[in-house]
Amino acid sequence: MTDIPVQRAVALVDDAAVERNCRRLVGELAEGGSLCAVVKANGYGHGAAECARAALAGGAERLAVAAAAEAAELRRHLPDARILTMGALTEPELDAALAAASDVAVWHPRFAELIAERGAELGVRPRLHVKYDTGMGRLGERDPDAVLSLLDRVGADDRVELAGVWTHFATADELDSRFFGEQLDRFAAVAERVRADHPGVLVHAANSAATLRDPDSHFDLVRCGIAIYGLDPFHADPFERRLEPALELRSYVADVKRFPAGTSAGYGRRWRAPADTWVGVLPIGYGDGVRRALTNNAETLVAGARYPLVGTVSMDNLTIDLGAGTRVESGSPAVLIGAQGDERILCEEVARRLETITYEVTCGISARVPRVHVRSEGP
Ligand SMILES: *Cc1c(COP(=O)(O)O)cnc(C)c1O
């Protein structure tokens, strides 16, 4: 990526990588299949509007968010995009979603009625996606007969448009899971009925992991989030699946200090120099989303080499051990997630150290960190 002057901490987001990741996912789909780019939670921390635009340029035909406020924000930037709000909605949130011309999710007949009433009141014809809970155990109707009767009911109501039927997988990222197949079978049975009784209704199920593992899960539309940002849905190296990580988290070495043996770094003195060394101070901390659990448990890149994070991560600063004979000078760029020279620190590595998933790492980069959008040439 381009070398831009560093601020104390910055998240560099390569919109061209998002675009290429989307094109790569679209290439995975059979004729007639289309991609819905999931840009909820500020595009998994990458910046929703910019990533949405990049995704559309990369061949995505739709966008999905979780919350009505996210749909409204996206609509301000993209007047013509097709947007689906996937989450549960309170009544005022429903109004906001409809005002943003977003499709909405439904699984209770009484909510379908409310949507129809609110649509009539607002002078719009809401587009509904009936949600079938095939095993996620979260939002959606679990009884397939109830799903089919809700589909009939919505389909017969002129005040609304039956736009879709959908489900969500609980274990698509676990390659040895039988449960994925069970959910897929349940959904496929309903999908077959829908194709016969409600032609033209969008059938959709797959997230990124399902999209990459099983074409049978693609139906009319796949809803990909993590993969469009170039992160691997199976928690391995994204490059192996030709995905390009779009985000780099950067800071810089604000100071380099001599640490005689025994000198401690940070709150609680949780690290002491075992021998004389030099310590670099990076002005980035948990207030920026670098989690405190990375204390004595991470590496950073400076001048193309890995250096261990030592001592307690504080709100605004952290410290790294540069070693006894360091040539690193203050002002040097530092990378917490991303590449420098021949070295790289994958978001997957940070997630593994935190015993979490990449989703939580990028979502956790706080609003204090400016997102700087760039466009790379690509591999
Ligand atoms: C977040 C979400 C997705 C996208 O999942 P990824 O694993 O990021 O691809 C798809 N569908 C629903 C319902 C979601 O909530």
Side-chain angles (χ1 to χ4, degrees), residues 36-40 44 64-66 84 86-87 131 136 138-139 166-169 172-173 204-211 222-229 233 359:
C36 172
V38 180
V39 295
K40 62 194 180 189
Y44 294 35
V65 292
L84 165 64
M86 300 187 290
K131 185 153 198 193
M136 181 62 161
R138 220 170 54 179
L139 305 179
W166 63 306
T167 193
H168 192 38
F169 295 110
D173 60 330
H204 52 109
N207 56 3
S208 298
T211 300
V222 299
R223 302 184 309 270
C224 294
I226 202 72
I228 78 169
Y229 307 104
Y359 302 66

Side-chain angles (χ1 to χ4, degrees), residues 25 41 47-48 124 276 303:
L25 291 162
V124 297
D276 293 359

